[in-house]
Amino acid sequence: MKKYLFLLFAGIAGLISCGDDDKPSLPELNKLTKVTCYKNNSLSPEFVLDITYTSEGQIAYMTENNTEKKQFLYAGNTILVAGLSAEDVTSTEYTLSNKTIVRKKVSDKNSYKGNEIYVRDDYKYGYRNGNLVQTSWTALIPKSDGKYETKQYNEAELYTWENGNAVRFTEYTREMVYEYGTGNIRPLNFPFRVIASFTPTGMEQFTPLNLQYGTLNKNLPSRAYWYNVPDTSVKQAEYTYSFSMIGDYITGMTIMEQIYSVDGKAGETNTYSYTFEYAV
C-alpha cells in the first residue's frame, strides 16, 4: 500500500514539475493575407489588398485591387518596394534598425525630365521606448528650370502614447484623438496602426509592414475624432469602430464615419465594412 501511495505522490509531483518547467506555448497566429473593404454596402469593394509571403515569413508581394502589384526586395537592413508594371515608376526604400523602420524614401520620375528619378519624399522616424513618436519629412519639388526646391518639416507628425496606445496624432494645427476599450486587446497578428491621416479608413493602417514600426497598440480603438487647433471643441469628423472575432482572429471590422457640417461644408455619414483573411 505504501508503495502505491509513493507512486501516486511521485506522479503528482512529476506533473507539477512538468507544469513549471514546460509551460505550454501558444501557437503563433497565422499571417494576414487579405483585406477587403466595402463602403456604404456597395457591391464593388472600395479596395482589396492581397499579401503574399516568402517561405521565411517576409512580405513578398502586395497587390492592390488585383492590379497594382508591388514586390518587396530585401538586402541587409533595407527593404525596396517597387511596382511591377511599366507605368508604375515610383519606388519606396525602407531602412531598418533592429527590425524597426527608421527611414522611408519615396522615389519618383521628374515630370520635367522624363529620364530622371529623384527622391520625392524622405521620412525619418523617431521612437521612444519602442513607440513611434515623431516623423520628420523632407520634400523635394522639381522645377521647370531643372532645379529642385527643398522643403523641410522637422515635426511633420507627432504621436502621443498612453497606457500602451497611440492616443493622439498631431499634424501642425490638426489633431486626431483615439480612444480605446479596455477589454479589446489587439491580436499580435493584426497590424492595425495609427497612421498620419485624418481619414483613417484606407488600407495603409492594416498592412503587415506596420509590424515593423516599433511597438503597436496594446488595445483596439473604439472611437476617433479630429479637430483644428485651437478650436478643440469643434469636431470635424468622428469614427467609431466595432470588431468581429473568431477565436483569436479578427475577421471583420466596421468603421462608422461621421463628417460634420462645419464652416459651410456639407456633412455626410459613411459606413466602411472590412473583412480579414489569414494564411491557412
Side-chain angles (χ1 to χ4, degrees), residues 165 180-187 218-222 241 243 245:
N165 295 309
Y180 299 85
T182 56
N184 291 332
I185 302 297
R186 180 190 62 84
K218 175 184 176 182
N219 300 99
L220 297 171
S222 58
Y241 298 77
F243 298 87
M245 297 187 68

Side-chain angles (χ1 to χ4, degrees), residues 109-123:
K109 187 196 307 186
N110 187 327
S111 58
Y112 296 104
K113 296 181 179 180
N115 61 343
E116 184 169 290
I117 301 295
Y118 72 105
V119 178
R120 187 188 69 201
D121 302 292
D122 187 355
Y123 302 92

Side-chain angles (χ1 to χ4, degrees), residues 89-144:
V89 297
T90 62
S91 64
T92 304
E93 181 183 289
Y94 297 90
T95 302
L96 287 76
S97 176
N98 295 324
K99 299 182 179 181
T100 298
I101 294 172
V102 294
R103 192 171 187 177
K104 170 184 172 183
K105 293 192 292 185
V106 181
S107 297
D108 203 350
K109 187 196 307 186
N110 187 327
S111 58
Y112 296 104
K113 296 181 179 180
N115 61 343
E116 184 169 290
I117 301 295
Y118 72 105
V119 178
R120 187 188 69 201
D121 302 292
D122 187 355
Y123 302 92
K124 295 180 181 179
Y125 301 100
Y127 295 83
R128 183 181 301 121
N129 298 324
N131 299 326
L132 175 62
V133 294
Q134 178 181 336
T135 303
S136 65
W137 171 34
T138 301
L140 209 58
I141 304 170
K143 303 177 69 174
S144 58

Side-chain angles (χ1 to χ4, degrees), residues 8 12 50 52 122 127 153 167 254 259:
L8 176 61
I12 294 173
D50 288 285
T52 305
D122 187 355
Y127 295 83
Y153 307 93
V167 296
T254 300
I259 299 175

Side-chain angles (χ1 to χ4, degrees), residues 25 36 65-66 69 89 93 96 190 193 209 220 241 249:
S25 58
T36 306
N65 301 321
N66 300 315
K69 189 173 184 178
V89 297
E93 181 183 289
L96 287 76
F190 189 64
R193 181 171 74 93
L209 196 62
L220 297 171
Y241 298 77
Y249 291 88

Side-chain angles (χ1 to χ4, degrees), residues 197-247:
S197 174
F198 295 92
T199 309
T201 56
M203 64 182 73
E204 185 182 350
Q205 62 184 335
F206 305 114
T207 70
L209 196 62
N210 288 342
L211 296 171
Q212 294 183 278
Y213 277 94
T215 304
L216 298 191
N217 287 351
K218 175 184 176 182
N219 300 99
L220 297 171
S222 58
R223 177 172 173 255
Y225 57 89
W226 72 273
Y227 47 73
N228 290 311
V229 179
D231 300 323
T232 59
S233 62
V234 181
K235 297 176 185 175
Q236 300 289 322
E238 185 171 354
Y239 301 84
T240 55
Y241 298 77
S242 61
F243 298 87
S244 301
M245 297 187 68
I246 295 179

